[in-house]
């Protein structure tokens, strides 16, 4: 599950790195007090974040129109809505938002509920969700997870990250987004490939991370908690439009002058 924001880093070895550090004191201590261990922060991160917000102001990336938060029936009963959110997240793994959105629309046209999916045979479910990535595996996971929801949760979805990640086909990113969207609860940062890539390019992690889950832990150590929900939406759209996986559009990026990766790419 997502950890609470903590302070972990030590004193820097070289004075030239002091700009990226913020010294904090125990509550009630004033000048001359013994400082706590310095909390590491990336250099220029606040300015980088503001510029990304500016680039995302138009809200016209695929995630804005066809992301999971747009895939469920907002008029459905809360329990059905939450199930649809989880299903959309399961379909979205390694799949473009446009493909996920279309698959969800086809499912919703048939009445997308726990009971309707349990009554559907595997071949029919596969035909409906195709061509989402790894659709055959997702048919299996959707059926298994839906049965668990029916038997253990009365047709609803779990309300904790710990329980969500126990469901077949549900990983940490999906669990955190399910908490954000379905339960309006921030338990941690949802890190997908875009957030993972951009966090490493901007040096928002103390040392390079290889996996999204490592990136989540690293970000939660320093990023203020009130930004945890926003950061996924911001960086996913930014990654879809500007900070692309291959041939990023650095010349169009407002952060070109303060991005550690801009000159190398």
């Amino acid at each position: 599950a997502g950890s609470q924001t903590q302070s972990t880093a030590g004193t820097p070895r070289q004075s030239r790195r002091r700009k990226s550090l913020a010294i904090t004191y125990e509550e009630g201590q004033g000048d001359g007090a013994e400082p706590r261990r310095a909390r590491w922060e990336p250099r220029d991160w606040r300015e980088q974040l503001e510029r990304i917000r500016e680039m995302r102001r138009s809200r016209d990336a695929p995630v804005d129109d066809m992301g999971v938060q747009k895939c469920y029936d907002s008029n459905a009963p809360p329990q059905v809505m939450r199930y649809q959110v989880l299903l959309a997240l399961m379909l979205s793994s390694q799949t473009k938002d446009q493909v996920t959105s279309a698959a969800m629309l086809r499912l919703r046209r048939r009445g997308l509920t726990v009971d309707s999916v349990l009554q559907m045979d595997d071949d029919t479910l596969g035909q409906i969700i195709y061509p989402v990535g790894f659709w055959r595996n997702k048919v299996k996971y959707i059926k298994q997870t839906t049965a668990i929801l029916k038997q253990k949760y009365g047709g609803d979805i779990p309300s904790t990250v710990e329980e969500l990640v126990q469901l077949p086909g549900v990983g940490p990113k999906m669990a955190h987004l399910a908490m954000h969207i379905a339960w309006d609860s921030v338990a941690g940062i949802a890190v997908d490939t875009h957030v993972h890539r951009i966090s490493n390019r901007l040096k928002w992690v103390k040392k390079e991370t290889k996996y999204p889950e490592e990136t989540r832990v690293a970000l939660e150590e320093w990023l203020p908690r009130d930004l945890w929900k926003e950061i996924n939406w911001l960086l996913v759209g930014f990654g879809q439009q500007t900070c692309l996986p291959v041939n990023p559009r650095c010349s169009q990026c407002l952060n070109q002058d303060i991005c550690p990766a801009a000159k190398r790419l």
Side-chain angles (χ1 to χ4, degrees):
S3 60
Q4 306 289 317
T5 58
Q6 307 346 335
S7 304
T8 55
T11 304
R13 295 179 181 176
Q14 300 178 18
S15 61
R16 63 184 175 84
R17 295 181 59 196
R18 292 186 187 275
K19 287 184 179 179
S20 65
L21 293 165
I23 303 297
T24 56
Y25 296 85
E26 298 290 354
E27 187 176 355
Q29 293 180 337
D31 293 342
E34 187 69 23
R36 293 186 302 184
R37 298 182 71 189
R39 180 170 71 90
W40 180 87
E41 289 185 351
R43 183 177 180 179
D44 300 323
W45 77 268
R46 293 185 185 276
E47 188 169 4
Q48 291 166 341
L49 179 62
E50 280 304 317
R51 293 182 184 184
I52 292 172
R53 283 180 175 141
E54 177 64 27
M55 288 183 278
R56 293 283 286 115
R57 180 177 292 182
S58 60
R59 294 174 178 258
D60 56 0
V63 69
D64 299 310
D65 296 324
M66 291 168 282
V68 169
Q69 78 283 358
K70 298 286 189 179
C71 288
Y72 63 87
D73 180 3
S74 59
N75 294 317
Q79 183 169 305
V80 174
M81 177 273 288
R82 289 189 287 267
Y83 174 65
Q84 292 183 1
V85 168
L86 183 62
L87 213 64
L89 285 166
M90 294 176 72
L91 293 176
S92 72
S93 176
Q94 301 189 54
T95 302
K96 291 184 179 297
D97 287 331
Q98 298 91 321
V99 178
T100 300
S101 177
M104 281 297 295
L105 186 58
R106 291 191 295 272
L107 282 168
R108 284 171 53 191
R109 284 173 178 161
R110 298 177 68 98
L112 181 53
T113 65
V114 165
D115 289 334
S116 71
V117 169
L118 288 176
Q119 293 166 9
M120 198 179 297
D121 62 74
D122 290 3
D123 288 342
T124 300
L125 180 57
Q127 290 171 8
I128 295 172
I129 69 172
Y130 179 85
V132 299
F134 301 99
W135 63 272
R136 289 184 178 87
N137 286 336
K138 289 177 182 178
V139 166
K140 178 178 67 176
Y141 293 144
I142 287 170
K143 280 302 196 70
Q144 291 173 346
T145 285
T146 303
I148 292 170
L149 298 181
K150 176 75 171 179
Q151 296 161 8
K152 188 174 180 180
Y153 297 98
D156 209 337
I157 73 171
S159 58
T160 68
V161 169
E162 291 88 349
E163 291 174 292
L164 284 163
V165 296
Q166 296 301 314
L167 298 171
V170 178
K173 180 208 75 172
M174 299 180 206
H176 286 297
L177 279 175
M179 294 298 295
H180 293 183
I181 300 169
W183 292 110
D184 193 26
S185 174
V186 180
I189 299 172
V191 177
D192 70 345
T193 55
H194 295 291
V195 178
H196 172 65
R197 177 179 73 254
I198 295 166
S199 295
N200 276 275
R201 285 180 177 174
L202 290 174
K203 302 296 184 187
W204 282 8
V205 289
K206 285 182 69 174
K207 59 181 181 179
E208 184 178 0
T209 53
K210 293 184 178 181
Y211 306 103
E213 188 63 3
E214 288 181 78
T215 303
R216 179 188 65 79
V217 173
L219 287 174
E220 289 178 4
E221 287 181 350
W222 66 267
L223 188 69
R225 194 180 180 90
D226 60 354
L227 299 175
W228 286 12
K229 187 172 183 178
E230 177 191 22
I231 207 70
N232 176 271
W233 166 78
L234 278 175
L235 296 190
V236 169
F238 179 54
Q240 289 176 336
Q241 293 181 307
T242 306
C243 198
L244 307 176
V246 180
N247 299 321
R249 297 166 179 163
C250 295
S251 62
Q252 301 173 22
C253 181
L254 298 180
N255 278 323
Q256 186 181 18
D257 61 326
I258 55 173
C259 174
K263 293 188 174 74
R264 294 201 309 274
L265 294 170

